[in-house]
Amino acid sequence: MHVTRTVFREDHEMLRPSAQRFFERECAPRQAMWDEAGRVDRETWLKAGREGLLCTAVPTEYGGGGGDFGHAAVIVEEMHRAGVSGTGFSLHSDIIAPYIVRLGTEAQKRRWLPKVCAGETILAVGITEPGGGSDVKAARTVAVRDGDDYVITGSKTFISNGMTADMVMVVCKTDPAAGAKGVSLVMVETDRAGFRRGRKLHKVGQPAADTAELFFDQVRVPVANRLGEENKGFSYLMQELPQERLIIALYAAVALERVLDLTLQYVKDRRAFGQTVWDFQNTKFKLADAKAHAVAVRTMVDYYLGEHLRRKLTVQEAAIAKLHSTETLWKCLDDMVQLHGGYGYMLEYPIARAFTDYRVSRVVGGANEVMRELIARQL
């Protein structure tokens, strides 16, 4: 994109070639198989663990890479640059594992993290409930204290990694009358009695991302599985959500660059009415706009990435990054599908696949309407 990037250190960039090779050689050839199966195979998770591509920011004493979010960002970028869809690696490594690192007791970290880092234990997070959407404090899943256990009852939906997860961080009410001040985070192993996976949900895009319904019918879990203090879960979630939203902005920036490159290749080769599609002024103007948008998004996202590496990224800034990058990606994607004509609607073309895969970016991590609300609160 001819943008000089200074946000990454040398040790970050040293990871890039191995990440690029892994996604191009180990993942891209398996994409069709994953799409058909509706999930990523376990062996690929284990390979990612062996390659050091899971949990790069987890301390080495627990089996992680001992790095920081810059290493995670490199992996996110290379996965999306390769056009790989549905792995769930970043959710596992960069969204859920940090809760265990920050909130877990020493015993919890030593018990759980080595297998998480190796890809042997796959993580999911149970936040969204039927009818609940982005309203975390309205969760109806309850955890009732019974001696040294919690008894969990409720359901979750739209759960990524839901069909393969070995452990789920469940957002539940330990004090239902207290609203946001009654939320706790409890780690639930999926082999416990009373836990049940519902149907695999069939989405518009990302067919390899296994997304499921989860049901908890009086699942008994030790209180020792709780992360952090009881009833402090909502504040913990709010502290970690900026990183999740920055991850979405990171892949939106890469996706925009990738689809622009794909479209440029297509329009310069495709002929219509005795000339290439590129020769039409409308094409040049649309792609000039897309190039300007891509440079602007890249510059913004790199700035906020730098702020996050300095631990200065705010809730509002993460919302700005997520909102602007995903809305811009969607507008440009729509234009680029149009430039492909009928072929832009064929899933065998990567532009159509990007169109279906990235539509969800305006919904996940908090719908963009929530991002607008967060931004507006500071105006």
Side-chain angles (χ1 to χ4, degrees):
M1 292 302 297
H2 309 294
V3 175
T4 301
R5 305 186 68 189
T6 59
V7 67
F8 292 112
R9 300 190 306 263
E10 183 179 357
D11 60 302
H12 296 146
E13 291 294 353
M14 287 174 63
L15 181 61
R16 197 177 295 276
S18 60
Q20 183 181 47
R21 285 193 301 270
F22 179 81
F23 290 115
E24 289 181 352
R25 298 178 185 178
E26 299 292 339
C27 297
R30 291 180 168 83
Q31 186 71 62
M33 178 184 73
W34 296 345
D35 292 347
E36 182 68 23
R39 66 181 72 184
V40 174
D41 61 281
R42 286 263 176 176
E43 182 55 34
T44 302
W45 278 91
L46 296 172
K47 286 181 180 178
R50 290 195 294 270
E51 292 283 334
L53 299 177
L54 299 178
C55 303
T56 53
V58 171
T60 55
E61 59 263 38
Y62 306 118
D68 61 17
F69 185 74
H71 299 94
V74 166
I75 294 170
V76 169
E77 288 188 349
E78 293 309 312
M79 181 176 73
H80 288 271
R81 205 181 313 278
V84 172
S85 169
T87 65
F89 293 163
S90 187
L91 170 69
H92 169 96
S93 299
D94 311 319
I95 295 174
I96 309 171
Y99 284 97
I100 302 174
V101 172
R102 187 166 71 88
L103 302 172
T105 64
E106 187 64 20
Q108 287 173 332
K109 288 187 278 193
R110 293 198 177 278
R111 176 184 168 196
W112 293 328
L113 286 174
K115 289 187 177 182
V116 168
C117 295
E120 296 173 16
T121 295
I122 297 174
L123 298 177
V125 57
I127 299 178
T128 306
E129 297 185 356
S134 299
D135 189 0
V136 177
K137 63 181 179 295
R140 291 178 292 178
T141 297
V142 296
V144 178
R145 184 75 178 259
D146 181 21
D148 292 333
D149 293 338
Y150 287 119
V151 179
I152 300 176
T153 302
S155 62
K156 301 290 181 179
T157 194
F158 306 146
I159 306 305
S160 299
N161 292 347
M163 298 300 290
T164 53
D166 304 291
M167 182 179 290
V168 183
M169 187 180 81
V170 181
V171 175
C172 48
K173 286 287 185 67
T174 40
D175 185 354
K181 295 182 179 180
V183 175
S184 296
L185 308 180
V186 181
M187 302 301 294
V188 179
E189 298 90 346
T190 57
D191 59 357
R192 290 188 176 273
F195 171 82
R196 178 171 62 86
R197 305 179 207 267
R199 63 194 175 102
K200 181 186 182 300
L201 302 175
H202 297 287
K203 307 177 297 299
V204 170
Q206 299 188 22
D210 75 77
T211 308
E213 299 171 322
L214 304 180
F215 297 96
F216 304 84
D217 183 9
Q218 297 189 325
V219 179
R220 186 170 288 271
V221 183
V223 172
N225 275 28
R226 188 188 67 229
L227 285 178
E229 297 181 44
E230 190 171 79
N231 298 327
K232 294 291 182 68
F234 186 81
S235 63
Y236 297 148
L237 289 167
M238 295 306 103
Q239 291 165 22
E240 296 295 337
L241 279 172
Q243 178 160 299
E244 179 178 359
R245 289 163 182 164
L246 181 61
I247 290 169
I248 297 167
L250 277 166
Y251 71 63
V254 172
L256 180 50
E257 293 167 353
R258 176 174 174 265
V259 296
L260 176 56
D261 183 57
L262 290 169
T263 304
L264 281 166
Q265 293 176 42
Y266 178 84
V267 299
K268 290 182 178 182
D269 182 62
R270 178 73 175 171
R271 299 189 68 82
F273 301 101
Q275 59 185 339
T276 67
V277 176
W278 169 252
D279 291 323
F280 292 99
Q281 187 182 66
N282 176 69
T283 303
K284 293 176 180 177
F285 281 9
K286 288 289 187 182
L287 294 181
D289 283 346
K291 173 62 181 281
H293 287 313
V295 171
V297 167
R298 165 58 59 212
T299 303
M300 177 194 69
V301 170
D302 275 10
Y303 170 75
Y304 284 134
L305 173 57
E307 289 294 278
H308 189 50
L309 290 172
R310 291 186 286 273
R311 308 306 299 169
K312 292 183 177 181
L313 184 71
T314 67
V315 170
Q316 184 191 33
E317 289 170 333
I320 291 170
K322 195 259 184 183
L323 172 68
H324 184 64
S325 60
T326 58
E327 292 291 339
T328 303
L329 170 62
W330 183 247
K331 169 63 169 63
C332 292
L333 254 175
D334 190 56
D335 286 341
M336 286 186 264
V337 167
Q338 191 72 16
L339 290 174
H340 279 72
Y343 292 104
Y345 204 60
M346 300 295 109
L347 280 174
E348 62 193 85
Y349 278 73
I351 192 70
R353 180 59 185 266
F355 190 77
T356 58
D357 278 354
Y358 288 113
R359 176 58 181 87
V360 75
S361 66
R362 297 168 64 209
V363 177
V364 293
N368 279 2
E369 289 70 25
V370 175
M371 301 304 101
R372 292 180 174 97
E373 176 66 25
L374 293 171
I375 295 165
R377 290 175 186 174
Q378 301 297 318
L379 296 181

